[in-house]
Amino acid sequence: MGIALRGLLPLFFIALGGTVAAQSRVMADVTARQVHKGKSMRVEKQVFYSSNGNLVVHYTYPQQYYMVTNRLGETSVYQPKAGEVMLVNDRSMSSESELLTIFMSPSYADLGLTRLGFVLAKVEKDGADKVMTYTPTHVDDKAFSRAVVVLREGNPIYCAFYDQSGNVVKKTYYSHYVELPMITFPTLVTQISYDGRGDSIIRREEYRNVRTKDFPKDALFDYKVPADARRVTPFGK
């Protein structure tokens, strides 16, 4: 379950410039699709983020469950049908890795790369676009040699990660931006990951009904897992 969640949560992330109120909130309906080796999978979810770091994700298809997490990655995953809750303490599950979350922060141009340990190494121009190259600071990190972000009119439209041989291992496209109070957001995000054997995984997330105010009465910003939920690791089913 943990691996599946991490695979479908972030697709890679950016943030909004500007000042954000102390308790700003944002929500959206999301459809996530993944294609790998000719097999496709679709997930429907609602995402609720509060700027105090609390994140609630309500998965509605193909299975209903709730995920509640914070900036530290302290996560509860609750299956209401079974009455079971799985507790995970994993920094990769941090609310800071959610797309909406990072868009609500005051720094967007690096796609959250500096938080991940990258530093800006080079800035170039490609026509009207700005090309920014980042390198990892951790000498023991052998996964990537660099990351490249392309900005158009201040908004990221592309990000690519390269391995030590200079091959692209992951690239992400951001498009269909919308402008709302406190947030400018790409409602279509497509990621292609390569496994080095000529195969790829394609993930796409479509965001609908993105809103920063006029929330419905049943919005789940303050959702709590029931106190009587049975703790399991991992889920029985």
Side-chain angles (χ1 to χ4, degrees):
M1 175 64 72
I3 295 175
L5 284 173
R6 285 193 292 270
L8 288 172
L9 278 175
L11 285 183
F12 244 85
F13 318 106
I14 49 186
L16 164 77
T19 301
V20 180
Q23 291 297 320
S24 300
R25 291 178 164 185
V26 60
M27 65 171 289
D29 300 323
V30 187
T31 298
R33 293 181 173 87
Q34 176 175 297
V35 178
H36 184 217
K37 295 184 176 180
K39 296 182 179 180
S40 62
M41 176 172 61
R42 176 172 62 90
V43 171
E44 301 283 347
K45 60 186 179 181
Q46 290 182 304
V47 181
F48 305 85
Y49 174 71
S50 303
S51 60
N52 61 4
N54 292 333
L55 173 70
V56 177
V57 183
H58 179 203
Y59 291 83
T60 57
Y61 180 86
Q63 181 181 358
Q64 181 179 206
Y65 57 96
Y66 299 83
M67 188 192 77
V68 182
T69 189
N70 59 24
R71 291 192 178 103
L72 300 177
E74 298 169 339
T75 305
S76 300
V77 183
Y78 173 61
Q79 286 187 327
K81 185 175 182 180
E84 296 179 343
V85 60
M86 180 175 66
L87 304 182
V88 180
N89 194 347
D90 187 337
R91 188 68 187 186
S92 69
M93 304 287 284
S94 167
S95 61
E96 293 181 343
S97 295
E98 165 60 41
L99 189 66
L100 287 172
T101 300
I102 301 179
F103 261 94
M104 292 294 284
S105 87
S107 173
Y108 72 91
D110 68 355
L111 298 168
L113 288 172
T114 54
R115 182 179 62 82
L116 297 174
F118 286 77
V119 294
L120 181 62
K122 183 171 58 176
V123 179
E124 300 173 293
K125 295 286 289 184
D126 183 5
D129 297 338
K130 181 184 294 185
V131 181
M132 308 173 71
T133 300
Y134 294 82
T135 55
T137 57
H138 303 300
V139 295
D140 58 342
D141 185 357
K142 304 299 183 182
F144 304 117
S145 63
R146 69 185 189 276
V148 174
V149 178
V150 178
L151 303 178
R152 180 171 295 168
E153 297 181 350
N155 294 321
I157 61 169
Y158 175 76
C159 177
F161 287 83
Y162 295 79
D163 63 17
Q164 296 297 331
S165 299
N167 300 313
V168 176
V169 295
K170 183 184 298 183
K171 57 185 179 182
T172 308
Y173 299 88
Y174 306 88
S175 62
H176 294 71
Y177 275 86
V178 296
E179 293 188 10
L180 298 169
M182 299 181 295
I183 192 170
T184 300
F185 192 79
T187 58
L188 182 61
V189 182
T190 302
Q191 182 186 89
I192 305 173
S193 302
Y194 302 93
D195 62 6
R197 298 185 297 272
D199 200 2
S200 63
I201 300 174
I202 301 175
R203 298 189 182 100
R204 173 173 289 186
E205 286 192 347
E206 299 175 57
Y207 288 76
R208 307 176 309 280
N209 303 320
V210 182
R211 60 181 74 181
T212 57
K213 62 179 182 177
D214 300 327
F215 303 114
K217 292 182 179 180
D218 59 353
L220 300 177
F221 292 104
D222 301 314
Y223 178 82
K224 304 293 184 184
V225 173
D228 60 352
R230 185 171 64 259
R231 181 175 175 178
V232 294
T233 307
F235 287 130
K237 296 184 181 179

